[in-house]
Amino acid sequence: MTILCRLAAWPGETTASTVDDLDAAQRALTDAPFEDLVVVGPDTEKDDALRFTAHLRIDRPAVGVILVRRHVDVDLLTEALRAGVREVVTAGDDAALLAACDRSRALSGHVRAIDEPANTPQGKVVTVFAAKGGCGKTTFAINLAAALAAGDQRVCVLDLDLAFGDVAINVQLEPVRTISDALPMAGHLDTTGAASLLTQYRPGLDMLLAPVTPGDAEKIPAALVGELLAVLRGMFDFVVVDTPAQFSEHVLTAMDASDHHVLLTTPDTPALKNMRITLDMLDLLSYSRDIRSIVFNRSDAKVGLSSSDVERVVRSTISAQVPSSRNVPISINKGTPIVIATPAHPVSQAITRFARERLLSLTAPARHKAFAVRRGAGRR
């Protein structure tokens, strides 16, 4: 049953229940504990509708509210998003309204599926990092997430390369919502708000995509990244964070929140030099060595550097070796991670084995000793 508030026409819906005002809508919701959608029509006062939505967001987070207005502008969209409105639709656009309702109902089902008691164990945050571009970091992060999701885990990929994120294009997703849409919710982000930002790639695997508008990256504070990760880890078994090739404030915030750091390198001297610097930096910041893994990507490339050479240079043990294959760029061009497209491929098997042996066995989070000090003092 869908409750409509003073909406003149409901296209194609025979199960809708129409009420005259928001008080009647509230009473109807009380009588319908499984209701998942309220459409507020254009005759309802905007402020009343937003107050109703804000209350409903706390009282019934799985219920979506769609606001129908005769005129839609940026100010209205901002106010509506802050109040918790799922979407704002222009009056008379029946196709847009139906599509918005379908999206809202799908999201409500997702929210119910992830709505767990506060004492439920939190999911794990895994940050994938390489201090040199071109190491295959984004490809590895996406395939790692796919491998984890294949084990019946609920997984989210967070694209933290805010200026040049490639997660969306790697899996051929249309970035309708991105991390930029979290800005109006900063400071009061909740499960419903975070769920509204996600783009589903396939069941069990969601993506929170990087901004697509130039200049939006600079608007996102590091504190919002921490807030997002805190909420997402309560919604998923694993949150895999893809990062830019630099120790930015946002990356350090993700590393602070992480249960595991996956550090990629390749068999070339610039990448190995940057890996050595990365390890020294992590040690300097007092991150525990127990929560890091070094992954040797394109390990079978015949360029005169073996895995033993790599371990000698970086003075650390390699946790996983992923072979090179032209099937990897082919899978990227097709928009399907190789772990999904060809599970038996040596690359897929290497990533799946790493996920199983190093991540699926994770226990309680192991924080580094400086976390509380740096978090309390903040960075300058």
Side-chain angles (χ1 to χ4, degrees):
M1 179 177 68
T2 302
I3 300 171
L4 309 175
C5 301
R6 301 182 64 79
L7 189 62
W10 174 245
E13 177 64 76
T14 59
T15 61
S17 172
T18 304
V19 295
D20 290 331
D21 54 47
L22 294 173
D23 289 337
Q26 186 60 60
R27 290 193 297 272
L29 283 172
T30 301
D31 295 335
F34 297 106
E35 178 57 74
D36 61 2
L37 179 62
V38 178
V39 179
V40 181
D43 293 331
T44 303
E45 288 293 330
K46 179 197 71 175
D47 291 343
D48 292 340
L50 297 186
R51 279 193 295 269
F52 171 82
T53 303
H55 171 77
L56 199 61
R57 181 176 184 173
I58 297 172
D59 190 50
R60 295 274 294 273
V63 178
V65 176
I66 293 176
L67 187 61
V68 179
R69 300 282 94 177
R70 292 187 177 87
H71 175 70
V72 179
D73 56 29
V74 174
D75 291 339
L76 173 62
L77 290 172
T78 301
E79 286 186 82
L81 187 60
R82 285 174 176 163
V85 172
R86 294 261 176 95
E87 297 195 39
V88 181
V89 179
T90 303
D93 192 343
D94 292 350
L97 178 57
L98 280 174
C101 289
D102 288 341
R103 287 191 293 268
S104 181
R105 281 172 162 163
L107 179 57
S108 292
H110 185 64
V111 170
R112 284 197 174 96
I114 60 181
D115 188 17
E116 300 175 341
N119 60 356
T120 300
Q122 298 286 285
K124 311 302 180 186
V125 176
V126 179
T127 294
V128 181
F129 181 78
K132 178 182 176 296
C135 289
K137 173 180 49 59
T138 298
T139 300
F140 183 86
I142 293 171
N143 278 278
L144 177 62
L148 291 168
D152 294 327
Q153 306 291 313
R154 294 169 304 171
V155 183
C156 175
V157 176
L158 170 59
D159 191 346
L160 203 56
D161 192 345
L162 302 176
F164 301 101
D166 285 333
V167 168
I169 198 169
N170 267 255
V171 292
Q172 296 183 6
L173 282 178
E174 182 68 28
V176 176
R177 303 298 296 276
T178 74
I179 192 173
S180 298
D181 294 296
L183 283 169
M185 297 180 275
H188 52 86
L189 184 72
D190 58 13
T191 300
T192 303
S196 72
L197 305 171
L198 301 174
T199 302
Q200 187 181 70
Y201 176 64
R202 58 189 295 145
L205 180 56
D206 292 274
M207 312 280 184
L208 180 45
L209 304 174
V212 294
T213 303
D216 277 359
E218 287 74 21
K219 300 176 184 177
I220 299 169
L224 179 58
V225 174
E227 192 176 2
L228 276 166
L229 288 172
V231 175
L232 290 173
R233 73 185 308 148
M235 299 165 59
F236 294 93
D237 297 305
F238 284 93
V239 180
V240 178
V241 184
D242 182 34
T243 58
Q246 58 180 325
F247 277 111
S248 66
E249 184 79 2
H250 301 79
V251 170
L252 289 173
T253 298
M255 286 187 162
D256 279 352
S258 294
D259 302 286
H260 207 80
H261 301 152
V262 179
L263 311 174
L264 256 68
T265 191
T266 49
D268 57 88
T269 52
L272 294 178
K273 182 266 294 182
N274 284 8
M275 172 60 78
R276 184 61 259 165
I277 293 174
T278 295
L279 295 173
D280 290 342
M281 177 68 74
L282 295 179
D283 287 341
L284 182 64
L285 294 173
S286 299
Y287 288 102
S288 171
R289 296 184 180 185
D290 294 334
I291 66 168
R292 73 178 64 150
S293 295
I294 296 176
V295 174
F296 186 19
N297 198 21
R298 304 168 195 148
S299 58
D300 59 347
K302 301 185 185 307
V303 292
L305 288 174
S306 65
S307 57
S308 58
D309 293 327
V310 172
E311 290 183 332
R312 177 177 52 80
V313 172
V314 302
R315 301 195 295 275
S316 295
T317 302
I318 293 173
S319 300
Q321 298 186 43
V322 180
S324 58
S325 172
R326 68 189 189 96
N327 293 114
V328 174
I330 290 174
S331 71
I332 295 172
N333 291 336
K334 290 182 177 180
T336 305
I338 193 169
V339 164
I340 295 173
T342 318
H345 193 280
V347 171
S348 303
Q349 291 181 332
I351 296 173
T352 300
R353 184 164 54 251
F354 172 78
R356 183 175 61 250
E357 295 176 355
R358 297 291 291 179
L359 300 180
L360 289 175
S361 60
L362 282 179
T363 55
R367 301 293 182 218
H368 56 83
K369 62 185 179 182
F371 174 78
V373 176
R374 292 213 314 276
R375 176 62 68 213
R379 300 188 184 89
R380 296 292 183 264

